[in-house]
Short mmCIF file of all heavy atoms in Angstrom, two decimals:
data_model
loop_
_atom_site.label_atom_id
_atom_site.label_comp_id
_atom_site.label_asym_id
_atom_site.label_seq_id
_atom_site.Cartn_x
_atom_site.Cartn_y
_atom_site.Cartn_z
N ARG A 1 14.74 -5.11 8.63
CA ARG A 1 13.33 -4.67 8.64
C ARG A 1 13.05 -3.78 7.47
O ARG A 1 11.84 -4.03 7.02
CB ARG A 1 12.99 -3.97 9.92
CG ARG A 1 13.25 -4.65 11.22
CD ARG A 1 12.78 -3.86 12.49
NE ARG A 1 13.44 -2.63 12.60
CZ ARG A 1 12.86 -1.40 12.58
NH1 ARG A 1 11.58 -1.35 12.41
NH2 ARG A 1 13.58 -0.32 12.81
N PHE A 2 13.86 -3.06 6.92
CA PHE A 2 13.61 -2.14 5.85
C PHE A 2 14.35 -2.58 4.63
O PHE A 2 15.43 -3.29 4.80
CB PHE A 2 14.08 -0.71 6.17
CG PHE A 2 13.20 0.08 7.23
CD1 PHE A 2 12.34 -0.61 8.00
CD2 PHE A 2 13.38 1.46 7.36
CE1 PHE A 2 11.56 0.04 9.00
CE2 PHE A 2 12.63 2.06 8.35
CZ PHE A 2 11.72 1.44 9.12
N ALA A 3 13.86 -2.28 3.48
CA ALA A 3 14.58 -2.53 2.28
C ALA A 3 14.34 -1.36 1.25
O ALA A 3 13.27 -0.88 1.23
CB ALA A 3 14.02 -3.81 1.54
N ILE A 4 15.45 -1.00 0.56
CA ILE A 4 15.37 0.05 -0.38
C ILE A 4 15.51 -0.58 -1.81
O ILE A 4 16.37 -1.47 -2.04
CB ILE A 4 16.44 1.12 -0.14
CG1 ILE A 4 16.24 2.34 -1.11
CG2 ILE A 4 17.87 0.58 -0.24
CD1 ILE A 4 16.89 3.60 -0.74
N SER A 5 14.78 -0.02 -2.79
CA SER A 5 14.85 -0.60 -4.11
C SER A 5 14.56 0.57 -5.10
O SER A 5 13.97 1.60 -4.73
CB SER A 5 13.87 -1.70 -4.30
OG SER A 5 12.54 -1.29 -4.08
N ARG A 6 14.89 0.35 -6.35
CA ARG A 6 14.67 1.27 -7.40
C ARG A 6 13.60 0.75 -8.36
O ARG A 6 13.58 -0.46 -8.56
CB ARG A 6 15.99 1.62 -8.11
CG ARG A 6 15.89 2.70 -9.08
CD ARG A 6 17.33 3.13 -9.56
NE ARG A 6 17.91 2.01 -10.19
CZ ARG A 6 19.24 1.95 -10.53
NH1 ARG A 6 20.02 3.06 -10.23
NH2 ARG A 6 19.78 0.96 -11.18
N GLY A 7 12.75 1.66 -8.86
CA GLY A 7 11.79 1.24 -9.80
C GLY A 7 12.43 1.06 -11.12
O GLY A 7 13.59 1.10 -11.28
N ASN A 8 11.61 0.64 -12.08
CA ASN A 8 12.09 0.46 -13.43
C ASN A 8 12.73 1.68 -14.06
O ASN A 8 13.67 1.62 -14.80
CB ASN A 8 11.00 -0.10 -14.38
CG ASN A 8 10.55 -1.53 -13.95
OD1 ASN A 8 11.37 -2.24 -13.51
ND2 ASN A 8 9.26 -1.87 -14.37
N ALA A 9 12.20 2.85 -13.67
CA ALA A 9 12.74 4.13 -13.99
C ALA A 9 13.82 4.48 -13.01
O ALA A 9 13.58 4.40 -11.75
CB ALA A 9 11.60 5.16 -14.15
N GLU A 10 14.80 5.02 -13.43
CA GLU A 10 15.93 5.39 -12.62
C GLU A 10 15.54 6.42 -11.64
O GLU A 10 16.15 6.57 -10.54
CB GLU A 10 17.10 5.92 -13.49
CG GLU A 10 18.30 6.25 -12.74
CD GLU A 10 19.39 6.90 -13.56
OE1 GLU A 10 19.36 8.05 -13.80
OE2 GLU A 10 20.27 6.08 -14.04
N ASN A 11 14.46 7.20 -11.85
CA ASN A 11 14.11 8.29 -11.01
C ASN A 11 13.25 7.97 -9.90
O ASN A 11 12.56 8.95 -9.30
CB ASN A 11 13.48 9.48 -11.88
CG ASN A 11 12.19 9.06 -12.48
OD1 ASN A 11 12.02 7.87 -12.73
ND2 ASN A 11 11.35 9.95 -12.71
N THR A 12 12.94 6.75 -9.68
CA THR A 12 12.06 6.32 -8.56
C THR A 12 12.71 5.37 -7.63
O THR A 12 13.48 4.43 -8.02
CB THR A 12 10.81 5.55 -9.29
OG1 THR A 12 10.21 6.40 -10.25
CG2 THR A 12 9.87 5.24 -8.09
N VAL A 13 12.45 5.57 -6.32
CA VAL A 13 13.03 4.63 -5.28
C VAL A 13 11.94 4.45 -4.29
O VAL A 13 11.06 5.33 -4.03
CB VAL A 13 14.23 5.44 -4.59
CG1 VAL A 13 13.86 6.61 -3.77
CG2 VAL A 13 15.11 4.43 -3.82
N TYR A 14 12.04 3.21 -3.75
CA TYR A 14 11.03 2.78 -2.68
C TYR A 14 11.68 2.49 -1.43
O TYR A 14 12.83 2.01 -1.42
CB TYR A 14 10.33 1.62 -3.32
CG TYR A 14 9.61 1.85 -4.53
CD1 TYR A 14 10.14 1.34 -5.80
CD2 TYR A 14 8.43 2.47 -4.73
CE1 TYR A 14 9.58 1.42 -6.93
CE2 TYR A 14 7.77 2.62 -5.90
CZ TYR A 14 8.37 2.15 -6.98
OH TYR A 14 7.70 2.24 -8.21
N LEU A 15 11.01 2.60 -0.32
CA LEU A 15 11.41 2.15 1.02
C LEU A 15 10.32 1.24 1.51
O LEU A 15 9.36 1.74 1.94
CB LEU A 15 11.78 3.37 1.89
CG LEU A 15 12.36 2.92 3.22
CD1 LEU A 15 13.78 2.36 3.06
CD2 LEU A 15 12.35 4.15 4.19
N GLN A 16 10.65 -0.09 1.53
CA GLN A 16 9.69 -1.10 2.19
C GLN A 16 10.03 -1.11 3.62
O GLN A 16 11.21 -1.45 3.96
CB GLN A 16 9.78 -2.34 1.50
CG GLN A 16 8.86 -3.47 2.06
CD GLN A 16 7.44 -3.14 1.85
OE1 GLN A 16 7.05 -2.79 0.83
NE2 GLN A 16 6.64 -3.33 2.85
N MET A 17 9.08 -0.88 4.46
CA MET A 17 9.32 -0.83 5.89
C MET A 17 8.42 -1.89 6.58
O MET A 17 7.21 -1.81 6.45
CB MET A 17 9.01 0.53 6.47
CG MET A 17 9.79 1.65 5.85
SD MET A 17 9.53 3.35 6.68
CE MET A 17 7.79 3.56 6.30
N ASN A 18 9.12 -2.91 7.17
CA ASN A 18 8.28 -4.04 7.83
C ASN A 18 8.62 -4.06 9.29
O ASN A 18 9.73 -3.29 9.70
CB ASN A 18 8.73 -5.38 7.07
CG ASN A 18 8.42 -5.48 5.69
OD1 ASN A 18 7.43 -4.98 5.26
ND2 ASN A 18 9.29 -6.06 4.89
N SER A 19 7.92 -4.78 10.03
CA SER A 19 8.09 -4.83 11.41
C SER A 19 8.39 -3.49 12.14
O SER A 19 9.22 -3.27 12.91
CB SER A 19 9.32 -5.78 11.77
OG SER A 19 9.14 -7.04 11.24
N LEU A 20 7.45 -2.64 11.78
CA LEU A 20 7.65 -1.21 12.21
C LEU A 20 7.50 -1.08 13.80
O LEU A 20 6.79 -1.83 14.39
CB LEU A 20 6.65 -0.25 11.56
CG LEU A 20 7.04 0.15 10.16
CD1 LEU A 20 5.81 0.58 9.42
CD2 LEU A 20 8.15 1.18 10.13
N LYS A 21 8.34 -0.26 14.37
CA LYS A 21 8.33 0.05 15.81
C LYS A 21 7.92 1.49 16.05
O LYS A 21 8.05 2.34 15.19
CB LYS A 21 9.74 -0.23 16.35
CG LYS A 21 10.36 -1.60 15.99
CD LYS A 21 11.74 -1.73 16.53
CE LYS A 21 12.30 -3.05 16.20
NZ LYS A 21 13.77 -3.13 16.65
N PRO A 22 7.45 1.68 17.29
CA PRO A 22 7.08 3.10 17.60
C PRO A 22 8.24 4.09 17.39
O PRO A 22 8.05 5.22 16.98
CB PRO A 22 6.68 2.98 19.11
CG PRO A 22 6.18 1.68 19.18
CD PRO A 22 6.94 0.84 18.35
N GLU A 23 9.52 3.62 17.64
CA GLU A 23 10.71 4.50 17.45
C GLU A 23 10.96 4.76 15.99
O GLU A 23 11.90 5.55 15.70
CB GLU A 23 11.92 3.87 18.10
CG GLU A 23 12.18 2.40 17.79
CD GLU A 23 11.60 1.41 18.82
OE1 GLU A 23 10.41 1.65 19.29
OE2 GLU A 23 12.28 0.47 19.15
N ASP A 24 10.23 4.10 15.11
CA ASP A 24 10.36 4.52 13.68
C ASP A 24 9.52 5.77 13.31
O ASP A 24 9.64 6.15 12.17
CB ASP A 24 10.00 3.35 12.79
CG ASP A 24 10.90 2.17 12.92
OD1 ASP A 24 12.13 2.34 12.94
OD2 ASP A 24 10.36 1.02 12.96
N THR A 25 8.67 6.20 14.24
CA THR A 25 7.94 7.33 13.99
C THR A 25 8.76 8.57 13.63
O THR A 25 9.64 8.93 14.42
CB THR A 25 7.00 7.66 15.25
OG1 THR A 25 6.07 6.57 15.35
CG2 THR A 25 6.27 8.93 15.03
N ALA A 26 8.46 9.19 12.49
CA ALA A 26 9.25 10.24 12.11
C ALA A 26 8.65 10.87 10.80
O ALA A 26 7.85 10.27 10.24
CB ALA A 26 10.72 9.85 11.90
N VAL A 27 9.22 11.99 10.37
CA VAL A 27 9.01 12.43 8.95
C VAL A 27 10.11 11.90 8.15
O VAL A 27 11.26 11.99 8.46
CB VAL A 27 8.99 14.02 8.95
CG1 VAL A 27 8.87 14.49 7.48
CG2 VAL A 27 7.87 14.55 9.74
N TYR A 28 9.75 11.22 7.11
CA TYR A 28 10.73 10.57 6.19
C TYR A 28 10.90 11.44 5.04
O TYR A 28 9.95 11.78 4.30
CB TYR A 28 10.29 9.16 5.85
CG TYR A 28 10.47 8.16 6.96
CD1 TYR A 28 9.70 8.17 8.10
CD2 TYR A 28 11.42 7.18 6.81
CE1 TYR A 28 9.83 7.32 9.09
CE2 TYR A 28 11.59 6.23 7.84
CZ TYR A 28 10.84 6.31 8.96
OH TYR A 28 11.06 5.45 10.06
N TYR A 29 12.23 11.75 4.73
CA TYR A 29 12.56 12.59 3.59
C TYR A 29 13.36 11.73 2.53
O TYR A 29 14.26 11.06 2.85
CB TYR A 29 13.37 13.76 4.10
CG TYR A 29 12.79 14.71 5.05
CD1 TYR A 29 12.84 14.47 6.36
CD2 TYR A 29 12.13 15.73 4.57
CE1 TYR A 29 12.23 15.27 7.25
CE2 TYR A 29 11.54 16.61 5.45
CZ TYR A 29 11.60 16.43 6.85
OH TYR A 29 10.95 17.28 7.71
N CYS A 30 12.89 12.03 1.25
CA CYS A 30 13.71 11.41 0.13
C CYS A 30 14.79 12.45 -0.18
O CYS A 30 14.58 13.71 -0.16
CB CYS A 30 12.71 11.32 -1.01
SG CYS A 30 13.51 10.72 -2.56
N GLN A 31 15.99 11.93 -0.44
CA GLN A 31 17.11 12.68 -0.87
C GLN A 31 17.65 12.07 -2.11
O GLN A 31 17.81 10.96 -2.27
CB GLN A 31 18.16 12.62 0.27
CG GLN A 31 19.30 13.48 0.10
CD GLN A 31 20.54 12.79 -0.55
OE1 GLN A 31 20.56 11.52 -0.52
NE2 GLN A 31 21.47 13.43 -1.23
#
């Protein structure tokens, strides 16, 4: 359901979240 990827710049990351469910509700933190 989710996919992580990096941008063209090394300092950027993305999280694509599909088919979201109520149990995905949360505060999301980048690390």
Side-chain angles (χ1 to χ4, degrees):
R1 301 187 298 120
F2 291 12
I4 187 169
S5 61
R6 188 170 59 191
N8 291 331
E10 182 185 88
N11 65 332
T12 304
V13 68
Y14 303 101
L15 185 67
Q16 178 67 43
M17 305 185 294
N18 300 323
S19 302
L20 282 161
K21 304 175 181 180
E23 50 263 44
D24 294 317
T25 295
V27 177
Y28 283 71
Y29 296 91
C30 180
Q31 182 268 340

